[in-house]
Amino acid sequence: MTPVASPWTSRRRLDGPAQQVAYGPLVSRRDDEAMRRFRRYGLGQFIHFGLYSILGNEYQGVSAAEGAAAPEWIRAWRGPSAPEGWPDTYDRLNESFDPAELDAEAWARQAKRMGARYVIFTTKHHDGFALWPSEHSDYTVAHSPCERDLVGEVVDAYTAEGIDVFLYFSVLDWHHPGYIGSVPSDAAEKQGWQEFLDYTRAQLLELLDRYPAARGLWFDGTWDESWIASYEFTHRLERELRERRPGLIIGSRFRNDEHGARHFDSDGALLGDYEQGWERKLPESFEMLAGNDWDCAMTIGPNAWGYMRDTRGQYQKTADDLIDLLMRCRSMNGNLVVNFGPDGTGRMTEHESDVAEQLGAWVSANGEAVYDAGHVDLDRTGMGWLTGTGERLFLTVINRPVNGVARLRFPSDAERMPVAARLLESGRALEVRLTDLGFDLDAALYCDIIIPSDLTTDRAFVIELVLGEASPTVLDRIDAWM
Ligand code: FHN
């Protein structure tokens, strides 16, 4: 099978006939408790925190906006605005890293109120700085005034709140001397790269051993040719990680096959437990997912994962935007992971905190449409998003119809049709009408739900529909022949 190019997963496009794959998936679709939990997470929180959080995308009043891709990429600041000797200056930030306000328990309580069921926390981003006292590096919290195990604090605090923890880990590492982006060629590069691989393996095993409560590893920075060429190593390592922690969840970004195919091997099989799409992007249709589990990582600002001090001119997503995205994800069985970038002291920003509270209020009132409900095999509607479970269907109305009639289209031979409707939040009953529009040769029946004109709200709302036996309302008309 030739893999179908997916515009949302950054899988490599491989044309041509199917190829033999020796380093394909180590797992097929899992249905154990861990993956069943994953499917019901619905909403997650991402936290990008590290040395870059101290800077907020600027240094000594000079903005890195023109020279760095995103605030957490500030070490790679290039161009005329970059301070002299910049990478060295950045690399010494550990000497002043001391997030005194970081209260992981407060973060976890906030995430709980928001309705997050899992958190992905940056244990080590591209700068190589480890937020746990790793024995395999001298570039860690233990080599900073902080001297706290921040990963441990997050794992404990979130676990205590019943929120599952996934450990974000960047393979790409700007600090390790052996790291190289291209395939190592001479003896020195090969030796350096091998040392880097040993260090990566040691850190990952260390993370699993130190944090037995962690449920998954969320990989990043796995796109360089050096890593792609190390497919034997990554295949072995994935096996080792899974053996070390049965039930561990690993997404499709970790590794590739021997032909360089990422996310999906050259035969089209998913390389991991779920599809990690390219971030800030959603799949265009449910069908393109081919039944794979997935999550979508989303920033609140345009492309800032780490803290950004000056967000002027940068649209910040609102709770309404996130509700829309969340329900769009759920309508395709995916999870939405909303990113937070606390400042260098460890405090969440005001906007993120506001959004978390508003989103949480909505989710807590409408949770039945979010967590246990998933894709519904009905036509998409421009009004919003459909989710469902068993005999219950949920329509999240984002765009309220001006005539007050929410119309859904069902196949005319549907065995189950809505027999009752109510507003999920208040329980208020709504009128339901099954409508035969009388279109010639129409294969559909329509269900009209009447939205009361006195319902005033400036936020999306959910209509719950109860399905029951369809009554024969379609008239047997004589269709015209031309
Ligand atoms: O380069 C990183 C980026 O800084 C951020 O961590 C995101 C989060 O998904 N991942 C990378 C790009 O894919």
Side-chain angles (χ1 to χ4, degrees), residues 46 48 70 72-73 122 125-126 168 172 218-221 223 253 278-279 297 303 305-306 339:
F46 212 138
H48 274 72
E72 72 286 356
W73 273 76
T122 48
H125 203 261
H126 307 335
Y168 167 105
L172 168 65
W218 203 99
F219 286 99
D220 203 357
W223 49 74
R253 268 195 195 188
W278 185 246
E279 59 240 16
N303 181 23
W305 298 87
N339 181 69

Side-chain angles (χ1 to χ4, degrees), residues 417 434-436 445 470-477:
M417 288 288 291
L434 296 190
T435 310
D436 173 5
L445 251 188
S471 52
T473 49
V474 189
L475 300 175
D476 194 10
R477 295 200 182 82

Side-chain angles (χ1 to χ4, degrees), residues 14-275:
L14 299 169
D15 291 318
Q19 304 193 50
Q20 290 294 319
V21 178
Y23 294 86
L26 285 162
V27 283
S28 48
R29 185 178 164 84
R30 286 167 47 185
D31 200 28
D32 50 79
E33 207 255 326
M35 283 308 293
R36 285 201 298 271
R37 277 174 82 86
F38 181 90
R39 290 175 193 130
R40 292 196 311 270
Y41 285 153
L43 179 62
Q45 180 188 38
F46 212 138
I47 301 181
H48 274 72
F49 187 70
L51 297 180
Y52 46 82
S53 313
I54 301 174
L55 302 174
N57 210 37
E58 54 192 59
Y59 182 68
Q60 294 183 340
V62 179
S63 168
E66 301 300 318
E72 72 286 356
W73 273 76
I74 192 170
R75 185 189 181 277
W77 194 350
R78 301 274 181 278
S81 62
E84 184 123 355
W86 175 243
D88 293 338
T89 306
Y90 183 96
D91 287 347
R92 286 196 303 274
L93 283 178
N94 63 315
E95 293 166 12
S96 56
F97 182 71
D98 193 10
E101 307 289 321
L102 195 162
D103 178 350
E105 290 176 7
W107 284 3
R109 284 194 301 272
Q110 181 185 60
K112 183 81 180 176
R113 287 196 302 278
M114 183 174 87
R117 289 193 169 175
Y118 69 132
V119 64
I120 304 166
F121 183 61
T122 48
T123 63
K124 183 192 82 154
H125 203 261
H126 307 335
D127 61 11
F129 183 71
L131 295 189
W132 79 101
S134 174
E135 285 176 11
H136 308 287
S137 167
D138 57 5
Y139 200 48
T140 78
V141 272
H143 305 265
S144 78
C146 171
E147 287 186 351
R148 290 158 57 186
D149 175 3
L150 299 180
V151 176
E153 290 179 22
V154 165
V155 172
D156 290 348
Y158 278 75
T159 305
E161 290 291 344
I163 299 173
D164 289 354
V165 180
F166 281 51
L167 305 176
Y168 167 105
F169 184 92
S170 169
V171 168
L172 168 65
D173 190 314
W174 293 322
H175 193 77
H176 192 283
Y179 189 85
I180 180 174
S182 53
V183 180
S185 51
D186 62 29
E189 284 181 357
K190 284 182 184 159
Q191 189 190 329
W193 181 248
Q194 187 54 51
E195 285 165 11
F196 171 75
L197 292 181
D198 293 344
Y199 146 87
T200 298
R201 172 178 169 272
Q203 283 205 323
L204 287 169
L205 293 174
E206 184 183 41
L207 282 171
L208 291 188
D209 290 347
R210 285 182 68 98
Y211 311 111
R215 298 254 178 184
L217 292 172
W218 203 99
F219 286 99
D220 203 357
T222 52
W223 49 74
D224 277 339
E225 293 302 326
S226 47
W227 187 254
I228 291 170
S230 303
Y231 55 83
E232 288 178 281
F233 167 84
T234 54
H235 188 264
R236 231 180 8 257
L237 181 55
E238 183 183 327
R239 189 188 299 282
E240 192 174 11
L241 296 171
R242 290 186 187 279
E243 282 170 3
R244 193 77 149 225
R245 175 71 55 75
L248 185 74
I249 295 177
I250 299 176
S252 64
R253 268 195 195 188
F254 178 51
R255 67 179 180 88
N256 49 273
D257 73 7
E258 68 270 36
H259 308 293
R262 303 178 65 222
H263 293 277
F264 292 81
D265 74 10
S266 307
D267 216 8
L270 182 64
L271 283 164
D273 295 312
Y274 67 97
E275 194 173 345

